[in-house]
């Protein structure tokens, strides 16, 4: 039995030593180079910490080959990593470090200076540019599979960051499932979009480590220019991607694939928010032979707990299933009384049990107890489930369908309404390119924002024909562009602040 993700890295180095592991657009690193540098970093970390293990280490580096080396080096030292973005305002970084209380920072020459300018002692920083490559240290034998690999910080509903702590066993189960389900091998060239502080990147990084696949970090600028993005994919013969839906929507709305054919893509996965079938149908039209899969899950269950491999045709306004549980994950739909829902079309909260569950929130036992709770269906022994806060239901085929968030479920005119249902109806209008529904609590109004070449009256007429009267938005606004957060999801708070 493998006790850590590093077991897979060692195997990969033995088989694919000279193969490119990571290409960040500025340089490349082979698996052997990655491993050797990580071992030297491990030695330096352990020397500074006096051999201390199982401690949080902040990786303060640009998204690059160096980041991946840093992650593996931290793990080799017997500790765990937390990535951040050097482009973040330092106040945001500090809000994370105040909770994390890192034992050490790993950075480079340029960004070490930023840390020092913000009060971090030079003695607390290991500079990855100044390693002694003669000295190496491997502490992986001391790791067990419940030891933490990383903590990723989510913003939390209150705006206070929560550090989700994920173990080796959770990642091993997840990546082995993905390799088997999508037939991943060393022939894969993975085009990374997700920031390394966003959990979607876990699949990209560890598929590369486990399978010996090459990871191409696509320059962030390309995602603002869909033509350049597809040209980059073609140029580098990328055959697998795992992107947030907003990227697919952008490419489809700009009709890029009709002008820039893309024949190299074979595996197209997406997660992070709802994928509208209108734009998915566009991709399926122009790249018909690829495998398409909708993955679903919050950070707290190690990226994904359900998946749906797209295997039939959908109308533009049909919702897309989030599918069935991933291997070794059990999902259950509970009603308001914590009773199990098994019949179709009845909504409830999706809850998860299994080794995919995170260890909890770092340095936050109260929030951990709120979200990771005793399974109400099991009174015989302690068993933890995670309450996702997502409202779902089974369709007639037994597939799980996403209905909306608990916090996106509103009560309006005496009715419980899922804002996602309104968004889905609006997506059925041909000229509409993207939508987002929010609720103005102060004025008790449903507000629908959209992008597209059609009038607000046309939207209203369509919704009046497809939705009950109590679900019709009070305000419909055409906006030039949606604001997105750092993870590529629509920023609903910013949308309300700027346009309401």
């Amino acid at each position: 039995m493998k006790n850590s993700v590093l077991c897979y890295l060692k195997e990969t180095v033995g088989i694919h030593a000279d193969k490119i592991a990571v290409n960040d657009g500025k340089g490349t690193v082979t698996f052997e180079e990655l491993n050797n540098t990580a071992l030297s970093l491990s030695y330096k970390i352990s020397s500074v910490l006096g051999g201390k293990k199982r401690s949080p280490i902040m990786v303060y580096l640009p998204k690059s080959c160096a980041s991946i080396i840093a992650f593996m080096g931290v793990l080799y030292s017997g500790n765990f990593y937390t990535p951040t973005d050097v482009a973040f305002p330092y106040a945001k970084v500090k809000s994370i470090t105040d909770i994390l209380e890192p034992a050490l920072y790993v950075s480079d020459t340029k960004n070490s200076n930023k840390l020092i300018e913000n009060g971090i002692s030079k003695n607390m920083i290991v500079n990855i540019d100044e390693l002694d490559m003669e000295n190496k240290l491997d502490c992986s034998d001391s790791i067990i599979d419940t030891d933490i690999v990383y903590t990723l910080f989510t913003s939390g509903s209150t705006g206070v960051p929560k550090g989700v702590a994920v173990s080796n066993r959770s990642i091993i189960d997840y990546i082995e499932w993905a390799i088997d389900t999508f037939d991943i091998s060393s022939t894969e060239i993975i085009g990374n979009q997700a920031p390394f502080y966003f959990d979607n990147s876990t699949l990209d990084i560890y598929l590369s480590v486990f399978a010996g696949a090459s990871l191409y970090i696509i320059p962030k600028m390309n995602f603002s220019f869909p033509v350049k993005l597809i040209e980059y994919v073609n140029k580098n013969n990328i055959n697998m991607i795992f992107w947030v839906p907003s990227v697919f929507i952008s490419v489809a709305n700009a009709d890029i694939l009709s002008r820039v054919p893309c024949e190299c893509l074979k595996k197209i996965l997406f997660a992070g928010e709802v994928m509208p079938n209108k734009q998915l149908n566009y991709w399926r039209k122009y790249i018909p032979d690829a495998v398409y899969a909708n993955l679903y899950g919050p950070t707290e269950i190690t990226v994904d707990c359900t998946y749906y491999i797209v295997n039939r045709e959908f109308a533009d306004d049909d919702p897309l299933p989030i599918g069935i549980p991933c291997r070794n994950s059990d999902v259950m739909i509970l009603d308001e009384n914590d009773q199990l829902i098994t019949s179709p079309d009845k909504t409830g909260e999706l809850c998860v049990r299994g080794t995919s569950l995170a260890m909890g929130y770092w340095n936050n036992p109260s929030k951990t107890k709120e979200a990771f709770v005793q399974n109400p269906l099991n009174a015989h022994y302690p068993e933890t489930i995670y309450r996702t806060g997502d409202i779902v239901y089974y369709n007639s085929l037994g597939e799980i369908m996403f209905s909306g968030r608990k916090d996106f479920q509103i009560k309006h005119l005496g009715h419980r309404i899922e804002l996602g249902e309104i968004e889905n109806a609006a997506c059925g209008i041909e000229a509409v390119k993207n939508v987002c529904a929010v609720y103005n609590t102060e004025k008790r109004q449903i507000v629908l924002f959209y992008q597209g070449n059609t009038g607000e009256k046309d939207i209203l007429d369509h919704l009046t024909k497809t939705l009950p009267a109590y679900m019709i938005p009070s305000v419909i606004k055409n906006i030039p562009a949606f604001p997105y957060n750092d993870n590529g999801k629509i920023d609903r708070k910013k949308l309300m602040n700027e346009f309401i």
Side-chain angles (χ1 to χ4, degrees), residues 285-299:
K285 174 183 176 182
Y286 286 102
I287 312 179
D289 297 326
V291 172
Y292 292 86
N294 186 24
L295 278 59
Y296 157 85
T299 306

Side-chain angles (χ1 to χ4, degrees), residues 232-249:
Y232 181 96
V233 168
N234 286 334
K235 179 182 177 182
N236 293 286
N237 202 32
I238 289 168
N239 55 18
M240 178 177 176
I241 54 176
F242 181 41
W243 295 347
V244 290
S246 60
V247 177
F248 295 95
I249 292 169

Side-chain angles (χ1 to χ4, degrees), residues 423-437:
E423 293 170 347
N424 198 61
C427 276
I429 303 169
E430 186 175 349
V432 170
K433 295 184 175 182
N434 205 0
V435 298
C436 181

Side-chain angles (χ1 to χ4, degrees), residues 93-113:
V93 177
K94 189 175 186 303
S95 70
I96 293 172
T97 57
D98 283 349
I99 297 167
L100 184 67
E101 298 177 346
L104 205 63
Y105 294 76
V106 174
S107 193
D108 56 13
T109 301
K110 178 181 177 181
N111 293 289
S112 291
N113 293 331

Side-chain angles (χ1 to χ4, degrees), residues 72-94:
M72 298 305 120
V74 170
L75 296 178
Y76 267 129
S77 74
N79 296 287
F80 63 91
Y81 63 86
T82 294
T84 189
D85 192 329
V86 295
F88 283 160
Y90 196 77
K92 182 169 182 176
V93 177
K94 189 175 186 303

Side-chain angles (χ1 to χ4, degrees), residues 248 252 257 268 270 275-293 308-315 320-321:
F248 295 95
L257 298 178
I268 299 175
F270 37 87
M275 169 63 90
N277 265 305
K278 177 188 290 185
Q279 283 83 2
L280 178 57
N281 285 337
Y282 174 90
W283 279 77
R284 294 177 72 187
K285 174 183 176 182
Y286 286 102
I287 312 179
D289 297 326
V291 172
Y292 292 86
Y308 172 68
I309 296 176
V310 184
N311 59 4
R312 62 183 186 270
E313 298 302 313
F314 291 92
L320 191 67

